[in-house]
């Protein structure tokens, strides 16, 4: 064992071509020394007299290797893809009985909802037309309520408030909620179930997907619940909120101020980052794993994964939902569910009724109706604190079955499976040594090298796709897969497969020892991959990630066939062990490819709005690499069962090379397509006016302010008719001028400020009006007059940002906004918007100064007023028309004034 330890300690890196001969000589020496020893288990000389079966080294014909890989590809396209996109039949009014969800009725409502047009907070479309339309639908439902079973109350809430959201104060005024409470007769429960979604939209969007389809689904569930002879335990509050995109204002107004809010204990939140397919449960709880039991038992079309929950809660994705507001300010627990397919239309003018099939609404509606019925009868809502049992591990298998267990159970399972795998692999090594007439130490000696090679294979399987992504981005070719996702096969999946198979291919090609049959050497390769997964699973569990379940369940379906093979003679009979393995690998292959495909579908469209600072290809390539490792890690080495596995290696190289050529040299690799895969181009028509302390104007100019949404930025547009000559980054100004001297729209624009670009325009822009900031008073306070209060009022637009920056040695100590925000930023950002109430914004600011000298500048104040929906003057409209048809413009006029007080 001393000699083995010395040899193993030298195997910490992959031998190079020059080192291989030396390593081989060393291992030959190891073989000679160890093989002279008695074989463990007492088989010694008797084993040495056995005649080895030559069939143990027989390999299949070379052409079956391609058929082997083709089988798994066909399995994906024949099983995973159809089940991923499978939707139930959309029921019509004629063919459905009472008490069920009717998609046709909801779909018809969605058509009329879409016809209203855009629904930006503060617009007539949102505050009047949409509210009136939805109240009309609610009134029709009220007319048919079973009065002997239910009471129904409707409240139109108009609410104002503010809170700190990320890096800004989010202040709202007169935003609206339509709130409906359905109460069963004679109920004594004071715990309500809240069902929420939103009807407002982003500029240019008609919001059929985000989230009109959810609104009409909620109303259909309300109709069914109120017209069906049934009973349930808890009242249900249906919240149709009118300011989610602003962001998350109406939900905050409801949960902090509405008369029914304090009774809401459970939540089903519905949102969308796409539309037209299934919806996914991507957040639950928090800390209430029992909710997953209800989802498992009552969701008719389950789709969920706790991996999505962990990814979303990192904050790396450019999205948020009302769920976070309800949890933070209302201490609610519940389910966060969202549409995610076809995210290319999200927040664009193409988010239309035509993209939402009836079947998609049926899928959402059936799930929602069943969950509402179940949770409105949940005894756990009576006292949710008593059921805080920790987080849950949850996932669906191809939408056919749902699996869930508690986080503590998951930890035990992860460690148990990893431990069992390590023990069984040692037993297999011992068994291999026994039937090969060598010592266990001899096999362990080679297994150490194999393990190192499999670590390298794992790394290569992940790194090679990432390296290609890095190279593409370096040459300005990111997002080549954006409109042609099939390119990922050659760009990322084939290189990952190549990385996984290459180390074992080289090892099996060069390792010539006949003491261990080839079939068992191949089995040792798979054991090496299993050890890597076991160590990874233990590491992820120690780190506290519930997503370790993916590794554990992948490993389970290697451990089980290994047990079967060890309990039978299949383990010892050539390649016979591969039969059981391949059968069991069907399940992890289907699940892992399904899981990763879900993330690829979700995130690929998001990469079009991920910003310029991050290379999105690194995310997509890593995702593809990880999926390939999980789905094919135990399968791709099996190509060595066949003769000439080099043909597979070269085929993977050829496919990758052809794909790279196609992506870089043809139109197929261009990311954008009109209507379906668009480039998002948000920009503002800006009029800037800078006032000095004495009121004189020191700058008065105009231009277009671009906040490009994807990695390629303005590069694709420079080949179009749009004249972007003079476009420059504003980053240099951001360190010298408050908020770069620009009318940054909201917290996302502020966060992205150094990536924003400015295109000067000679002719001044005249916005619809310029808000007038009025200084109502400047009052010195305190006995020693060491503080001064400025009081302002401004009659501004329904979307305005205020930027406040004290000068050096001056601090704000009091103001009209959240006091806890003071000191959190060097430049304060107050985002203000209003719905029905357009009254002026009034506020005060107090600043101290030790010497009491308030005759010098104390702070800067920027007023960024946005006229959403205004297309600008003739020159601006002509400029907009020059953009290519694959560019979706999100633009409006903006006034920016900088004052010094």
């Amino acid at each position: 064992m001393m000699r083995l330890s010395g040899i193993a300690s030298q195997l910490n890196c992959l031998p190079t071509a020059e080192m291989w001969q030396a390593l081989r000589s060393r291992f030959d020496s190891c073989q000679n020394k160890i093989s002279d020893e008695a074989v463990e288990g007492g088989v010694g000389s008797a084993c040495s007299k056995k005649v080895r079966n030559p069939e143990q080294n027989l390999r299949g014909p070379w052409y079956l290797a391609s058929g082997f890989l083709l089988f798994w590809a066909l399995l994906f396209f024949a099983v995973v893809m159809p089940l991923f996109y499978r939707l139930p039949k959309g029921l019509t009014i004629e063919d459905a009985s009472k008490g069920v969800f009717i998609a046709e009725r909801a779909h018809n409502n969605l058509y009329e909802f879409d016809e209203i047009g855009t629904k930006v907070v503060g617009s007539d479309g949102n505050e009047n037309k949409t509210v009136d339309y939805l109240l009309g639908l609610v009134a029709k439902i009220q007319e048919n309520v079973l009065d002997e079973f239910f009471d129904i109350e409707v409240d139109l809430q108009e609410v104002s408030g503010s809170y700190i959201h990320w890096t800004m104060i989010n202040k709202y005024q007169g935003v609206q909620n339509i709130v409906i409470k359905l109460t069963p007769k004679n109920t004594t429960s004071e715990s309500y179930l809240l069902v929420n979604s939103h009807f407002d939209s982003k500029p240019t969007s008609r919001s059929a997907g985000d989230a009109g389809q959810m609104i009409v689904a909620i109303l259909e569930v309300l109709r069914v619940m109120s017209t069906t002879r049934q009973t349930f335990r808890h009242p249900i509050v249906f919240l149709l909120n009118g300011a989610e995109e602003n962001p998350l204002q109406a939900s905050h107004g409801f949960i902090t101020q509405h008369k029914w809010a304090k009774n809401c204990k459970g939540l089903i939140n519905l949102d969308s980052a796409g539309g037209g397919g299934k919806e996914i449960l991507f957040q639950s709880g928090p800390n209430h794993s029992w909710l997953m039991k209800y989802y498992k038992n009552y969701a008719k079309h389950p789709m969920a994964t706790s991996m999505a929950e962990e990814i979303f809660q990192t904050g790396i994705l450019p999205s948020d939902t009302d769920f976070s507001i309800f949890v933070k300010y209302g201490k609610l627990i519940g389910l966060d569910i969202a549409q995610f397919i076809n995210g290319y239309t999200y927040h664009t003018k193409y988010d239309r009724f035509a993209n939402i099939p009836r079947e998609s609404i049926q899928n959402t509606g059936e799930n929602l109706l069943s969950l509402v019925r179940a949770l409105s009868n949940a005894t756990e809502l009576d006292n949710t604190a008593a059921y805080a049992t920790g987080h849950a591990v949850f996932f669906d298998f191809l939408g056919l079955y749902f699996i869930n267990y508690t986080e503590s159970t998951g930890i035990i399972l992860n460690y148990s499976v990893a431990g069992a795998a390590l023990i069984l692999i040692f037993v297999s090594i011992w068994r291999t040594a026994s039937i090969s007439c060598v010592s266990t130490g001899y096999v362990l000696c080679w297994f150490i090298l194999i393990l190192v090679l499999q670590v390298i294979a794992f790394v290569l399987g992940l790194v090679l796709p990432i390296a290609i992504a890095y190279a593409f981005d370096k040459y300005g070719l990111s997002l080549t897969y954006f409109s042609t996702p099939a390119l990922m096969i050659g760009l990322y999946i084939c290189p990952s497969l190549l990385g996984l198979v290459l180390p074992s291919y080289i090892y099996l090609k060069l390792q010539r020892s006949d003491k261990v049959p080839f079939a068992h050497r191949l089995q040792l390769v798979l054991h090496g991959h299993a050890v890597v997964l076991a160590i990874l699973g233990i590491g992820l569990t120690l780190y506290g990630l519930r997503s370790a379940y993916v590794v554990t369940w992948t490993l389970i379906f290697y451990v089980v066939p290994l047990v079967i093979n060890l309990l039978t003679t299949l383990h010892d009979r050539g390649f016979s062990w591969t039969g059981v393995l391949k059968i069991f690998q069907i399940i992890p292959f289907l699940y892992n490819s399904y899981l990763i495909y879900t993330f690829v579908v979700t995130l690929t469209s998001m990469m079009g709005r991920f910003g310029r600072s991050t290379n999105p290809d690194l995310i997509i390539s890593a995702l593809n690499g990880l999926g390939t490792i999980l789905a094919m890690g135990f399968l791709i080495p099996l190509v060595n069962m066949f003769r000439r596995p080099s043909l597979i290696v070269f085929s993977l190289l050829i496919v990758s090379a052809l794909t790279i050529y196609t992506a870089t040299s043809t139109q197929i690799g261009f990311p954008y397509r009109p209507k379906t895969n668009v480039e998002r181009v948000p920009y503002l028509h800006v009029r800037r006016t800078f006032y000095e302390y004495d009121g004189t104007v020191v700058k008065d100019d105009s231009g277009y302010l671009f906040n490009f949404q994807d990695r390629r930025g303005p590069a694709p547009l420079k080949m179009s008719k749009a004249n972007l000559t003079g476009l420059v980054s504003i980053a240099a100004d951001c360190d010298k001028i408050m908020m770069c001297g620009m009318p940054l729209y909201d917290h996302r624009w502020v966060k992205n400020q150094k990536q924003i670009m400015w295109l000067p325009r000679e002719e001044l822009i005249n916005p619809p009006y310029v808000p007038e900031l009025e200084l109502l008073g400047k009052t010195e306070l305190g006995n020693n007059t060491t503080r001064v209060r400025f009081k302002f009022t401004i009659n501004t637009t329904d979307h305005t940002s205020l930027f406040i920056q004290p000068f050096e040695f001056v601090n704000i100590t009091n103001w009209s906004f959240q006091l806890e925000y003071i000191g959190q930023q060097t430049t304060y950002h107050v985002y203000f918007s209003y719905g029905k109430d357009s009254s002026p914004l009034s506020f005060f600011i107090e600043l101290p100064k030790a010497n009491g000298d308030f005759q010098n500048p104390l702070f800067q104040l920027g007023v960024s007023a946005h006229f959403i929906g205004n297309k600008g003057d003739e020159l601006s409209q002509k400029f907009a028309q020059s953009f290519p048809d694959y560019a979706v413009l999100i633009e409006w006029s903006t006034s920016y004034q900088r004052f010094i007080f």
Side-chain angles (χ1 to χ4, degrees):
M1 294 303 293
M2 292 288 290
R3 290 195 301 274
L4 286 174
S5 299
I7 294 167
S9 66
Q10 299 179 45
L11 299 176
N12 294 325
C13 62
L14 176 66
T16 63
E18 294 78 8
M19 296 171 58
W20 184 264
Q21 188 60 41
L23 281 166
R24 188 173 164 192
S25 298
R26 172 71 99 161
F27 271 85
D28 285 343
S29 173
C30 174
Q31 296 171 38
N32 294 333
K33 291 178 181 179
I34 298 176
S35 60
D36 290 337
E37 301 174 2
V39 178
E40 295 180 24
V43 292
S45 59
C47 181
S48 64
K49 297 177 181 178
K50 291 180 181 179
V51 178
R52 293 187 179 87
N53 184 358
E55 293 183 359
Q56 289 183 326
N57 288 318
L58 288 180
R59 298 161 77 176
W62 63 269
Y63 52 82
L64 289 182
S66 57
F68 173 73
L69 289 182
L70 184 61
F71 168 79
W72 299 102
L74 291 176
L75 194 64
F76 174 78
F77 287 106
V79 178
V80 174
M81 292 279 284
L83 289 176
F84 180 84
Y85 289 105
R86 184 182 66 167
L87 294 170
K89 175 187 175 183
L91 298 182
T92 63
I93 297 173
E94 290 76 15
D95 63 10
S97 58
K98 287 187 176 182
V100 298
F101 187 94
I102 309 296
E104 182 184 24
R105 183 180 287 107
H107 205 222
N108 292 341
N109 292 340
L110 182 62
Y111 174 80
E112 296 178 355
F113 179 90
D114 178 89
E115 287 297 300
I116 293 173
T118 59
K119 305 167 184 69
V120 179
V121 169
S123 69
D124 180 59
N126 190 67
E127 307 306 330
N128 298 313
K129 294 179 180 178
T130 302
V131 170
D132 291 345
Y133 173 67
L134 294 177
L135 286 174
L137 294 179
V138 172
K140 292 179 182 178
I141 293 172
Q142 281 183 285
E143 294 173 0
N144 297 296
V145 170
L146 295 177
D147 294 330
E148 65 273 25
F149 283 84
F150 310 108
D151 293 320
I152 187 169
E153 300 174 71
V154 180
D155 181 48
L156 178 61
Q157 181 191 26
E158 185 178 319
V159 62
S160 302
S162 66
Y163 66 100
I164 299 173
H165 182 66
W166 290 7
T167 58
M168 71 181 188
I169 289 178
N170 192 7
K171 183 173 178 61
Y172 55 92
Q173 180 175 286
V175 300
Q176 297 185 92
N177 286 311
I178 300 174
V179 194
I180 310 107
K181 184 174 73 166
L182 184 66
T183 307
K185 293 286 189 180
N186 302 320
T187 183
T188 59
S189 174
E190 295 183 357
S191 298
Y192 301 168
L193 173 66
L194 176 64
V195 183
N196 171 74
S197 192
H198 70 93
F199 57 80
D200 66 311
S201 78
K202 283 287 190 178
T204 77
S205 173
R206 295 196 175 195
S207 63
D210 179 30
Q213 61 185 325
M214 298 305 191
I215 289 291
V216 297
I218 286 176
L219 289 175
E220 177 61 11
V221 167
L222 170 62
R223 187 199 64 80
V224 174
M225 293 291 291
S226 63
T227 57
T228 303
R229 295 177 179 273
Q230 61 186 348
T231 185
F232 46 89
R233 185 184 185 91
H234 308 293
I236 308 168
V237 174
F238 297 90
L239 173 59
L240 315 180
N241 90 64
E244 188 267 354
E245 301 289 4
N246 240 35
L248 315 180
Q249 294 171 342
S251 56
H252 180 268
F254 171 82
I255 201 63
T256 57
Q257 300 182 50
H258 197 273
K259 59 185 178 182
W260 296 330
K262 64 181 183 297
N263 296 97
C264 294
K265 305 300 180 183
L267 166 69
I268 300 176
N269 186 64
L270 301 168
D271 211 331
S272 177
K278 296 181 178 182
E279 73 285 348
I280 186 172
L281 169 64
F282 65 99
Q283 287 193 103
S284 68
N287 204 36
H288 283 73
S289 58
W290 61 268
L291 286 164
M292 289 299 97
K293 296 179 182 178
Y294 279 86
Y295 186 83
K296 176 181 180 178
N297 293 331
Y298 296 100
K300 294 188 175 182
H301 314 288
M303 190 174 198
T305 170
S306 49
M307 180 181 282
E309 179 175 270
E310 288 189 324
I311 291 175
F312 186 84
Q313 291 177 354
T314 63
I316 65 172
L317 300 181
S319 295
D320 201 356
T321 73
D322 287 319
F323 187 85
S324 62
I325 296 295
F326 293 126
V327 169
K328 181 176 181 179
Y329 294 97
K331 308 301 181 185
L332 270 63
I333 52 97
L335 308 173
D336 200 7
I337 300 171
Q339 284 275 346
F340 66 99
I341 294 175
N342 194 22
Y344 297 101
T345 65
Y346 175 71
H347 288 179
T348 74
K349 64 181 180 181
Y350 297 116
D351 185 4
R352 298 294 305 273
F353 169 82
N355 294 320
I356 313 296
R358 182 182 298 172
E359 292 77 12
S360 176
I361 296 178
Q362 187 72 42
N363 191 92
T364 300
E366 288 182 358
N367 279 339
L368 179 60
L369 177 60
S370 187
L371 287 170
V372 167
R373 281 175 167 159
L375 290 175
S376 62
N377 280 298
T379 57
E380 292 86 348
L381 290 186
D382 290 324
N383 183 11
T384 56
Y387 294 91
T389 55
H391 295 288
V393 177
F394 56 89
F395 58 96
D396 72 290
F397 179 72
L398 304 178
L400 302 174
Y401 189 73
F402 189 78
I403 298 170
N404 71 287
Y405 44 85
T406 63
E407 184 177 17
S408 57
T409 300
I411 291 172
I412 296 171
L413 181 64
N414 296 345
Y415 288 141
S416 299
V417 171
L422 296 175
I423 293 171
L424 289 168
I425 287 169
F426 180 80
V427 172
S428 176
I429 290 172
W430 172 80
R431 183 85 157 259
T432 298
S434 299
I435 65 171
S436 302
C437 302
V438 296
S439 70
T440 302
Y442 174 85
V443 181
L444 276 173
C445 187
W446 278 106
F447 182 69
I448 293 171
L449 173 62
I450 291 171
L451 179 58
V452 172
L453 294 176
Q454 286 307 103
V455 171
I456 294 171
F458 188 98
V459 172
L460 288 176
L462 194 60
V463 168
L464 285 181
I466 293 175
I468 292 174
Y470 176 81
F472 268 57
D473 181 68
K474 184 177 181 180
Y475 292 99
L477 296 172
S478 57
L479 293 171
T480 54
Y481 52 82
F482 190 65
S483 61
T484 313
L487 290 174
M488 295 181 198
I489 297 173
L491 290 177
Y492 306 136
I493 295 177
C494 286
S496 182
L497 288 172
L498 186 63
L500 282 172
V501 76
L502 198 57
S504 60
Y505 165 75
I506 295 174
Y507 161 74
L508 294 170
K509 185 80 171 175
L510 297 179
Q511 209 276 345
R512 300 292 186 181
S513 173
D514 291 329
K515 294 183 179 182
V516 178
F518 182 86
H520 290 88
R521 279 180 273 154
L522 179 59
Q523 190 175 45
L524 291 176
V525 170
L526 270 63
H527 287 348
H529 183 68
V531 171
V532 173
L533 290 186
I535 295 172
L536 179 63
I538 292 171
L540 292 176
T541 304
L542 286 172
Y543 192 71
L545 291 179
R546 286 170 287 145
S547 299
Y549 85 84
V550 180
V551 176
T552 295
W553 282 92
T554 302
L555 202 54
I556 284 174
F557 287 93
Y558 184 73
V559 169
V560 172
L562 181 56
V563 170
I564 294 172
N565 283 323
L566 286 170
L567 292 175
T568 63
T569 60
L570 294 174
H571 179 276
D572 310 331
R573 290 160 47 192
F575 290 108
S576 298
W577 58 270
T578 64
V580 178
L581 175 68
K582 286 182 282 189
I583 291 172
F584 273 84
Q585 280 300 299
I586 289 175
I587 295 177
F589 172 82
L590 290 175
Y591 176 72
N592 287 323
S593 56
Y594 169 82
L595 174 68
I596 298 302
Y597 185 71
T598 299
F599 284 117
V600 167
V601 168
T602 304
L603 295 179
T604 297
S605 59
M606 283 189 180
M607 296 303 101
R609 53 188 179 90
F610 211 72
R612 295 179 62 202
S613 59
T614 302
N615 177 7
D617 291 13
L618 296 180
I619 298 172
I620 296 298
S621 61
L623 191 60
N624 276 273
L626 178 62
T628 303
I629 292 169
L630 292 171
M632 295 294 293
F634 289 116
L635 295 171
I636 190 63
L638 294 181
V639 299
N640 290 292
M641 293 170 48
F642 309 97
R643 300 187 190 98
R644 301 179 185 175
S646 57
L647 293 177
I648 295 297
V649 173
F650 287 123
S651 296
L652 293 173
L653 279 171
I654 291 171
V655 172
S656 293
L658 289 176
T659 305
I660 290 172
Y661 173 80
T662 301
T664 57
S665 304
T666 71
Q667 187 64 21
I668 294 175
F670 187 69
Y672 315 111
R673 302 288 186 274
K675 297 183 180 180
T676 57
N677 309 80
V678 296
E679 180 185 15
R680 299 164 187 266
V681 186
Y683 71 93
L684 309 175
H685 323 157
V686 178
R687 174 72 175 269
R688 296 193 301 174
T689 308
F690 285 27
Y691 296 93
E692 276 297 329
Y693 183 63
D694 60 4
T696 59
V697 175
V698 293
K699 180 185 287 290
D700 187 10
D701 65 358
S702 291
Y704 302 110
L705 189 65
F706 287 86
N707 184 19
F708 293 103
Q709 295 290 286
D710 68 51
R711 182 68 165 179
R712 292 207 176 191
L717 299 174
K718 291 179 179 178
M719 299 180 292
S720 68
K721 295 180 181 179
N723 184 3
L724 299 180
T725 303
L727 185 68
V728 296
S729 171
I730 67 171
D733 291 332
C734 295
D735 295 328
K736 299 181 296 184
I737 308 174
M738 180 181 65
M739 284 297 177
C740 317
M742 294 294 176
L744 306 179
Y745 174 56
D746 61 9
H747 61 295
R748 297 190 187 278
W749 283 63
V750 171
K751 181 181 178 181
N752 197 42
Q753 59 185 267
K754 293 195 175 182
Q755 302 297 326
I756 291 175
M757 306 189 78
W758 173 253
L759 180 64
R761 170 178 141 164
E762 291 185 5
E763 184 178 334
L764 291 177
I765 292 171
N766 291 312
Y769 68 91
V770 176
E772 293 187 9
L773 178 70
E774 184 179 356
L775 176 60
L776 298 179
K778 178 181 177 182
T779 307
E780 295 183 8
L781 305 173
N783 295 330
N784 298 320
T785 64
T786 56
R787 288 182 297 127
V788 65
R789 171 181 286 195
F790 292 86
K791 189 174 182 180
F792 300 96
T793 187
I794 182 170
N795 194 347
T796 187
T797 63
D798 49 33
H799 290 78
T800 296
S801 279
L802 302 180
F803 304 126
I804 306 167
Q805 185 183 74
F807 284 113
E808 193 175 7
F809 306 119
V810 179
N811 296 306
I812 295 174
T813 57
N814 192 18
W815 59 4
S816 303
F817 312 114
Q818 265 69 22
L819 291 177
E820 61 269 30
Y821 185 60
I822 296 175
Q824 293 188 17
Q825 306 290 326
T826 56
T827 300
Y828 299 108
H829 179 195
V830 180
Y831 178 80
F832 169 71
S833 57
Y834 61 77
K836 290 286 287 186
D837 182 1
S838 60
S839 57
L841 171 65
S842 298
F843 60 98
F844 72 86
I845 301 173
E846 287 185 12
L847 307 98
K849 200 171 182 183
N851 61 9
D853 180 10
F854 300 113
Q855 303 307 312
N856 294 312
L858 298 175
F859 66 96
Q860 299 180 74
L861 174 62
V863 179
S864 172
H866 299 267
F867 300 88
I868 296 177
N870 182 273
K871 294 298 181 181
D873 56 24
E874 184 178 351
L875 187 58
S876 293
Q877 294 179 36
K878 185 177 179 180
F879 177 67
Q881 293 167 3
S882 68
F883 283 82
D885 55 1
Y886 59 76
V888 169
L889 308 184
I890 306 167
E891 33 94 24
W892 58 79
S893 298
T894 304
S895 165
Y896 182 66
Q897 301 172 82
R898 195 283 314 265
F899 303 92
I900 296 178
F901 293 97

